[in-house]
């Protein structure tokens, strides 16, 4: 059984006090939840302080990015070891904002995935098509290329080592969500791809949906058979909305999806 993961990607938002206040708030409300997994991805400067609060509960803290090298002359970058020693258990890699704003290639993302796995950090590999690619019927081809290139030469020992996030670029931060059917179809394609690549055990790899997830659409999305959680941007900045989505995840788990 794949346990739902509700993950908040804060991106470049919140000042320090807001970050601490939110983390204390979500810890008080949801720190003891174990029906679903919960993860927070704060900006790098807050990782240590946020994980000091969550180390007493079940909430996992992750970084929004790492570099592929251990150390060296890479001004502005952070390493796997830095985030690991700041209390992180996960790292988002290949987010479309990294790919499209900062020009990260799948090859570079692949080297970061290898580094994360070798460092005992769980990578959350993000993939997703642009609107013109979807309109041209190229969604599956784009996902295939991104998976092939990002996971080239990557072996996994257990399905818990890696998480995939399907995030259609046209749905991120736009308020426009993929329909549950569109998301389910993409997730099934990714699931089949993973099983071809890694064998039957890949049915246990979690695939999250991301792109304008909010309380009003979370239930329909999370109820889909191949959607194993959500990577949430905008709505994860608001304590009420984020806790509401966690509650929806708990409800769906209780219904034995
Ligand atoms: P959004 O962002 O929920 O604001 O669309 C999702 C993401 O980028 O992970």
């Amino acid at each position: 059984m794949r346990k739902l993961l509700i993950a908040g990607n804060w991106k470049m938002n919140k000042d320090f006090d807001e970050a601490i206040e939110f983390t204390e708030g979500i810890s008080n409300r949801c720190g003891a939840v174990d029906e679903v997994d919960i993860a927070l991805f704060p900006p790098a400067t807050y990782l240590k302080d946020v994980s000091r609060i969550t180390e007493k509960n079940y909430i996992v803290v992750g970084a929004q990015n790492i570099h592929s090298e251990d150390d060296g002359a890479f001004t502005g970058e952070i390493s796997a070891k830095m985030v690991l020693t700041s209390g992180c258990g996960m790292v988002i890699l290949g987010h479309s904002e990294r790919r499209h704003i900062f020009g990260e290639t799948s090859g570079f993302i692949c080297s970061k995935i290898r580094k994360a796995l070798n460092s005992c950090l769980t990578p959350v590999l993000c993939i997703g098509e642009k609107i013109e690619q979807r309109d041209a019927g190229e969604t599956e081809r784009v996902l295939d290329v991104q998976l092939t290139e990002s996971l080239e030469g990557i072996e996994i020992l257990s399905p818990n080592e890696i998480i995939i996030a399907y995030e259609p670029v046209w749905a991120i931060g736009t308020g426009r969500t993929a329909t549950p059917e569109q998301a389910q179809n993409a997730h099934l394609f990714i699931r089949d791809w993973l099983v071809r690549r890694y064998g039957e055990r890949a049915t246990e790899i979690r695939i999250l949906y991301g792109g304008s997830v909010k309380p009003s659409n979370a239930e329909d999305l999370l109820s889909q058979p191949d959607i194993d959680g959500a990577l949430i941007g905008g709505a994860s900045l608001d304590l009420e909305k984020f806790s509401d989505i966690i509650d929806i995840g708990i409800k769906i788990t209780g219904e034995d999806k």
Side-chain angles (χ1 to χ4, degrees):
M1 268 309 291
R2 300 180 303 260
K3 194 170 180 183
L4 289 180
L5 168 61
I6 309 298
N9 172 14
W10 292 357
K11 309 188 182 185
M12 198 175 73
N13 291 294
K14 293 195 185 292
D15 66 21
F16 181 77
D17 291 343
E18 290 166 345
I20 297 306
E21 192 185 339
F22 182 102
T23 308
E24 284 170 349
I26 198 73
S27 294
N28 289 338
R29 283 197 197 192
C30 304
V33 165
D34 77 344
E35 294 96 326
V36 301
D37 287 334
I38 303 170
L40 295 179
F41 292 86
T45 48
Y46 312 150
L47 290 174
K48 186 83 188 172
D49 294 278
V50 166
S51 47
R52 279 215 175 101
I53 299 169
T54 60
E55 71 190 2
K56 302 178 208 87
N57 62 45
Y58 288 144
I59 299 171
V60 174
V61 176
Q64 295 176 15
N65 194 18
I66 52 167
H67 195 272
S68 56
E69 296 294 324
D70 283 328
D71 44 39
F74 301 104
T75 301
E77 294 290 325
I78 54 172
S79 70
K81 193 171 171 190
M82 290 172 195
V83 306
L84 201 64
T85 55
S86 298
C88 290
M90 294 183 180
V91 59
I92 296 174
L93 293 173
H95 191 280
S96 68
E97 285 147 21
R98 299 300 319 171
R99 290 178 192 266
H100 302 307
I101 302 175
F102 299 102
E104 289 192 7
T105 62
S106 286
F108 188 33
I109 292 159
C110 181
S111 59
K112 294 172 184 227
I113 297 220
R114 184 170 292 110
K115 179 56 65 184
L117 288 170
N118 289 341
S119 309
C120 296
L121 279 171
T122 305
V124 180
L125 168 62
C126 301
I127 54 173
E129 81 287 358
K130 295 181 177 172
I131 190 63
E132 57 272 23
Q133 295 167 325
R134 172 161 285 268
D135 289 346
E138 292 176 352
T139 298
E140 293 188 353
R141 186 192 63 77
V142 171
L143 297 179
D144 178 35
V145 170
Q146 288 177 341
L147 285 165
T148 304
E149 293 179 353
S150 306
L151 295 174
E152 197 186 336
I154 302 285
E155 293 307 328
I156 52 161
L157 298 173
S158 120
N160 291 328
E161 276 180 18
I162 191 164
I163 295 167
I164 310 292
Y166 169 61
E167 299 207 302
V169 179
W170 47 274
I172 296 178
T174 58
R176 189 178 161 194
T177 321
T179 64
E181 295 72 30
Q182 285 173 324
Q184 166 60 24
N185 288 342
H187 280 233
L188 191 57
F189 174 82
I190 295 166
R191 173 101 47 225
D192 289 344
W193 192 100
L194 292 168
V195 169
R196 281 198 304 280
R197 174 75 167 76
Y198 292 113
E200 262 319 293
R201 69 200 165 129
T203 53
E204 291 302 312
I205 295 178
R206 288 189 285 190
I207 307 172
L208 314 182
Y209 170 79
S212 299
V213 176
K214 42 190 180 263
S216 58
N217 58 28
E219 180 157 6
D220 285 345
L221 288 161
L222 293 173
S223 304
Q224 297 301 311
D226 287 287
I227 299 186
D228 308 318
L231 184 54
I232 307 155
S236 78
L237 298 171
D238 182 298
L239 188 57
E240 295 301 323
K241 290 182 184 160
F242 192 57
S243 335
D244 283 353
I245 297 172
I246 292 169
D247 286 343
I248 291 166
I250 294 172
K251 176 172 169 265
I252 290 172
T253 302
E255 289 163 356
D256 217 5
K257 160 176 136 171

